[in-house]
Amino acid sequence: MVRNTTKPLAKKPAPPLAPPAAAPPPLSPSARAPRAALAAAAAAPAASTGSVVAVTRAVQLLGAFALGESQLSLAELSRRCSLHKTTALRIARTLAQEGYMVQCDGGEWRLGPAAGWLGARYQSGFDVQNVVEPMLRKLSTATRESAAFYVREGDFRTCLMRVEGVQPLRHHARMGEALPLDKGSPGRIILAFSGQRGAVYERIRQQGYCLSIGEREKDVATVSAPVFGQHWRLLGSVCISGPAARLTEAVLTAHARTVMDAANRLSYALAGAVSPHTPPVVSTWHP
């Protein structure tokens, strides 16, 4: 029979417990104030506008691309959106996961196929004619003259839509006909607000309208104003026209404000709310 001769180990005394940590001193009223102010400032935008900051920043990033710009660097995106580069990069990568942005081989960013598909769906659901034609009818009724809407087609202008006036003697323009840009007020408006240089075009930009008498067609007078579309980019020009014998310079000048008001209403209907890109002349009347 084997006996256990091993002596039991003596237990070591437990180390004394550390004294409890002292509670941090309460913040003074002066220290609590900045924290409360920061919390209130952070909550104020959401409470007052109901907007989501992340969504707003993502939309800003998509809208940073100007017409004709295929690629932008991260630094330029962050500059245009007033965002830190790390924030812009995080948003861009999130948008890329959904196909709204694509990073190029060189590191630049471009809009992705999902953005194009979104634009296509917008175009299919929005018919400019539904907005332009009612405006032209109101303009024709107000002036009793024919009203037309012109757009640029390369180096020419084309009448996209027209409403005939009630006057028995009136000017007839063929829709779709290619006309020169530098003859007649509708074309000169398009040139002026496309950045054409020269004293004539600078004056047009300042006053916000252009009138012409017998410039393209003898005995035909017109007065025109610019129309802007999405992102406040020039879309075309709206005008009224008629015989020069009836539409003298004084009469055209009197009608200019009505034409400008119609063009401004159409611009706001197409472009939406005012933005930093809204041309000053849209809301300015120069007699």
Side-chain angles (χ1 to χ4, degrees):
M1 183 174 180
V2 180
R3 292 185 179 181
N4 184 5
T5 58
T6 305
K7 295 182 179 181
L9 296 175
K11 294 184 178 180
K12 295 181 179 180
L17 296 175
L27 292 174
S28 64
S30 60
R32 288 196 302 266
R35 294 190 179 185
L38 288 174
S48 61
T49 65
S51 63
V52 180
V53 176
V55 176
T56 301
R57 289 175 174 176
V59 173
Q60 287 176 341
L61 213 64
L62 292 173
F65 293 85
L67 189 65
E69 289 181 334
S70 58
Q71 300 176 4
L72 288 176
S73 67
L74 180 63
E76 183 62 19
L77 284 170
S78 62
R79 186 191 68 81
R80 293 186 182 185
C81 299
S82 300
L83 297 173
H84 194 277
K85 288 178 66 174
T86 56
T87 302
L89 178 60
R90 186 170 63 251
I91 296 173
R93 286 175 173 172
T94 303
L95 290 170
Q97 292 176 1
E98 303 297 327
Y100 286 93
M101 291 188 72
V102 174
Q103 190 171 22
C104 306
D105 294 336
E108 293 84 1
W109 290 87
R110 65 176 177 84
L111 294 176
W117 176 233
L118 193 65
R121 280 179 285 181
Y122 166 81
Q123 291 291 346
S124 65
F126 180 78
D127 189 356
V128 177
Q129 183 174 353
N130 293 335
V131 182
V132 175
E133 187 175 7
M135 180 277 298
L136 291 179
R137 293 196 179 280
K138 290 180 180 179
L139 180 59
S140 179
T141 300
T143 61
R144 298 179 57 82
E145 303 291 348
S146 298
F149 177 65
Y150 286 85
V151 296
R152 184 170 190 164
E153 293 289 349
D155 295 331
F156 299 90
R157 60 180 167 98
T158 300
C159 180
L160 193 65
M161 207 169 303
R162 182 176 177 83
V163 172
E164 298 293 343
V166 297
Q167 301 280 9
L169 183 61
R170 54 182 180 264
H171 171 241
H172 297 274
R174 290 193 294 269
M175 293 176 57
E177 182 182 6
L179 301 173
L181 284 168
D182 60 348
K183 289 182 174 58
S185 68
R188 290 194 180 275
I189 281 286
I190 293 174
L191 286 175
F193 288 91
S194 295
Q196 186 74 19
R197 297 181 179 180
V200 172
Y201 297 104
E202 182 60 33
R203 185 169 63 253
I204 293 173
R205 284 188 287 269
Q206 290 178 358
Q207 65 186 14
Y209 70 91
C210 177
L211 56 87
S212 64
I213 300 176
E215 188 175 13
R216 189 184 68 84
E217 290 184 67
K218 186 180 179 181
D219 299 328
V220 173
T222 62
V223 57
S224 306
V227 174
F228 299 89
Q230 194 176 15
H231 303 302
W232 293 98
R233 299 187 182 103
L234 181 68
L235 189 63
S237 62
V238 62
C239 81
I240 61 169
S241 61
R246 183 170 67 240
L247 294 179
T248 62
E249 183 174 352
V251 174
L252 289 174
T253 303
H255 282 320
R257 182 168 190 170
T258 305
V259 175
M260 285 184 65
D261 288 344
N264 291 353
R265 287 195 301 270
L266 181 56
S267 295
Y268 277 107
L270 296 173
V274 66
S275 79
H277 304 291
T278 306
V281 74
V282 171
S283 57
T284 304
W285 163 242
H286 298 271

